[in-house]
Amino acid sequence: MTNTLTSPRLITGTSALAVAAGLTALGLSPAAAHVTANATSTAAGGYTQITFSVPTESDTASTNKLELTLPEDTPFASVRTKPVDGWTAEITEAELPEPVQVGEGAITKAASTITWTADEENHAIDPGEFQTFTISVGPLPEEEGKQILLPVSQTYTDGRTVAWDQPATEGQEEPERPAPSVTITEAAADAHGHGTTEPTTAAAENTATTTEGGNTLGWAGLIAGLLGLAAGVTALLRTRHRG
């Protein structure tokens, strides 16, 4: 009977190749396995769902905590989290330095951070794995082309913390720890999915036409009444004169 011995180094090398292959299948290289953000919509003034993809880059520790910092200059009036099995999400609110106009009103307090924590060690993101965390926010800023930075702090089971908070500039080399971000695009015709509140030009013209027509009919009725009254008075005077 022949026993086959496998070198621990060979096992480690094979695992590394498997992880690299998995990242490549996801469209990522091992060096580019950063925390990223993808939004379902970036239309100005609308609402969106943003999903953060969080890989564990460490070979020896797992990710057990994630803290997202939300923008203060363009705060979101509405912030919600999607449940993640084995993780607890906590939204922290803070007073704004000054009131900020958001949508149709001004707000003085908004969500400042969202913290996800693994409930148990076996729910942490192990080496070679990744997890996604989704939030629903809005309304988005009205300024087309504005980049919203969403810095993330990633904590490992060995106590190490990695900050993904470096702004990336278009046309320049990507920083080592780029901050996830979304860029605002042109407003959609229906930013909230409920239709616009302002009437269309055609509808406004029809309304104006209807209002003008109603006034014309009112004046016509008044004139007809006055003519009828005058005719009645004339007939009465003629009758008295004959008598």
Side-chain angles (χ1 to χ4, degrees):
M1 181 176 180
T2 303
N3 293 326
T4 302
L5 298 178
T6 304
S7 168
R9 291 185 178 181
L10 179 59
I11 295 176
T12 303
T14 303
S15 299
L17 288 174
V19 171
L23 292 173
T24 302
L26 292 171
L28 300 170
S29 67
H34 302 326
V35 175
T36 58
N38 289 289
T40 55
S41 172
T42 54
Y47 287 73
T48 187
Q49 292 183 22
I50 304 175
T51 298
F52 297 86
S53 180
V54 183
T56 289
E57 291 187 325
S58 173
D59 295 328
T60 58
S62 303
T63 300
N64 62 355
K65 184 179 179 181
L66 193 75
E67 183 174 282
L68 165 66
T69 300
L70 298 173
E72 186 179 77
D73 59 333
T74 55
F76 301 121
S78 173
V79 176
R80 297 181 181 181
T81 60
K82 182 178 181 179
V84 179
D85 186 38
W87 290 72
T88 298
E90 180 181 0
I91 300 176
T92 301
E93 291 188 338
E95 296 288 339
L96 299 173
E98 57 184 18
V100 177
Q101 188 73 22
V102 178
E104 298 179 353
I107 61 175
T108 58
K109 183 171 66 173
S112 58
T113 61
I114 302 177
T115 303
W116 289 271
T117 307
D119 298 334
E120 302 289 344
E121 186 176 347
N122 62 337
H123 287 119
I125 310 169
D126 292 332
E129 297 180 347
F130 76 98
Q131 180 61 276
T132 57
F133 302 86
T134 301
I135 62 174
S136 173
V137 298
L140 297 175
E142 299 286 350
E143 183 182 349
E144 182 181 348
K146 182 176 180 59
Q147 184 185 49
I148 301 177
L149 295 181
L150 300 165
V152 169
S153 177
Q154 182 178 11
T155 301
Y156 288 92
T157 51
D158 60 4
R160 185 168 61 96
T161 298
V162 176
W164 301 91
D165 59 358
Q166 298 173 322
T169 304
E170 187 177 357
Q172 296 185 9
E173 185 178 354
E174 184 181 66
E176 182 181 2
R177 304 290 181 186
S181 66
V182 295
T183 301
I184 303 303
T185 55
E186 182 181 3
D190 180 1
H192 300 279
H194 301 296
T196 56
T197 56
E198 296 182 358
T200 61
T201 302
E205 290 175 352
N206 289 337
T207 301
T209 302
T210 302
T211 303
E212 184 178 350
N215 289 337
T216 302
L217 290 175
W219 281 108
L222 178 60
I223 292 173
L226 290 174
L227 290 175
L229 178 61
V233 171
T234 301
L236 178 61
L237 291 176
R238 286 179 179 177
T239 301
R240 288 183 176 180
H241 180 70
R242 290 176 182 177

